[in-house]
């Protein structure tokens, strides 16, 4: 089994390599970042979500589960991308979250040349399964969106 932190770091690097996605987070690639659990300093994902700047994308490993692929037992690594859209103003189209999700799946990293949905994020994993996106609410009642991704490991390292 791979170290999931390397998968998360590779995913962050590829997302930062999508120019239009970086523009959507204010032109600052550091606004796309990983959340790595580090007890006791970073032991509350809920707090980290609450403290996210706007706009930004935070990527976190959610767990690993057994799965099946082509009749073989495999590991499936789950990651979540937490999205805070940029501020919108009167007259702006209401497309900030839609655009973020589209760029996460269809944006093309400069180093890869193919859309994110087809990119090999980690050499020991297949490209991502088709992700889902859903609304969530933080502790203060503010909405954000969560993109759920799964990566199927090739074999068992």
């Amino acid at each position: 089994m791979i170290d999931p932190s390397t998968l998360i770091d590779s995913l962050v690097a590829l997302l930062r390599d999508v120019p239009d996605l970086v523009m959507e987070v204010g032109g600052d690639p550091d606004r796309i970042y990983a959340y790595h659990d580090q007890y006791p300093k970073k032991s509350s994902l809920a707090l980290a979500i609450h403290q996210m700047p706007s706009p930004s994308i935070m990527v976190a490993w959610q767990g690993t589960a057994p799965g099946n692929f082509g009749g073989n037992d495999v590991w499936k690594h789950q990651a979540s991308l937490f999205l805070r859209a940029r501020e919108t103003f009167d007259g702006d189209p209401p497309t900030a979250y839609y655009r973020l999700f589209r760029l996460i799946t269809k944006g093309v990293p400069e180093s890869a040349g193919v859309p994110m949905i087809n990119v090999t994020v980690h050499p020991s994993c297949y490209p991502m399964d088709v992700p889902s996106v859903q609304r969530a609410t933080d502790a203060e009642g503010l909405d954000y969106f969560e993109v759920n991704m799964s990566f199927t490991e090739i074999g068992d390292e």
Side-chain angles (χ1 to χ4, degrees):
M1 179 185 332
I2 65 168
D3 176 348
S5 70
T6 62
L7 173 66
I8 297 303
D9 288 341
S10 294
L11 179 56
V12 167
L14 282 166
L15 292 169
R16 287 178 173 175
D17 200 28
V18 177
D20 290 338
L21 185 57
V22 171
M23 292 309 298
E24 278 298 305
V25 294
D28 183 358
D30 290 336
R31 292 254 176 156
I32 302 170
Y33 59 96
Y35 173 86
H36 292 295
D37 296 282
Q38 296 176 317
Y39 185 81
K41 295 177 185 175
K42 288 186 177 179
S43 58
S44 174
L45 182 58
L47 178 61
I49 292 168
H50 175 70
Q51 293 175 338
M52 287 177 63
S54 173
S56 65
I57 299 170
M58 181 173 63
V59 183
W61 174 60
Q62 293 286 48
T64 298
N68 194 290
F69 187 82
N72 296 311
D73 292 333
V74 294
W75 294 111
K76 289 187 156 282
H77 304 282
Q78 286 85 37
S80 288
L81 282 66
F82 301 95
L83 314 179
R84 289 261 191 227
R86 62 179 171 75
E87 182 179 356
T88 55
F89 301 98
D90 289 340
D92 286 350
T95 59
Y97 283 110
Y98 310 123
R99 184 160 168 76
L100 284 171
F101 182 62
R102 178 166 175 70
L103 289 168
I104 287 166
T105 58
K106 299 291 186 179
V108 178
E110 289 183 335
S111 61
V114 297
M116 281 295 299
I117 195 130
N118 299 336
V119 170
T120 300
V121 173
H122 188 283
S124 293
C125 294
Y126 294 104
M128 72 177 85
D129 295 343
V130 176
S132 65
V133 62
Q134 62 194 26
R135 179 183 305 271
T137 305
D138 72 12
E140 284 191 0
L142 298 174
D143 287 353
Y144 61 94
F145 279 79
E146 180 179 346
V147 176
N148 295 301
M149 296 181 170
S150 181
F151 296 90
T152 303
E153 193 168 323
I154 301 168
D156 184 14
E157 285 193 7

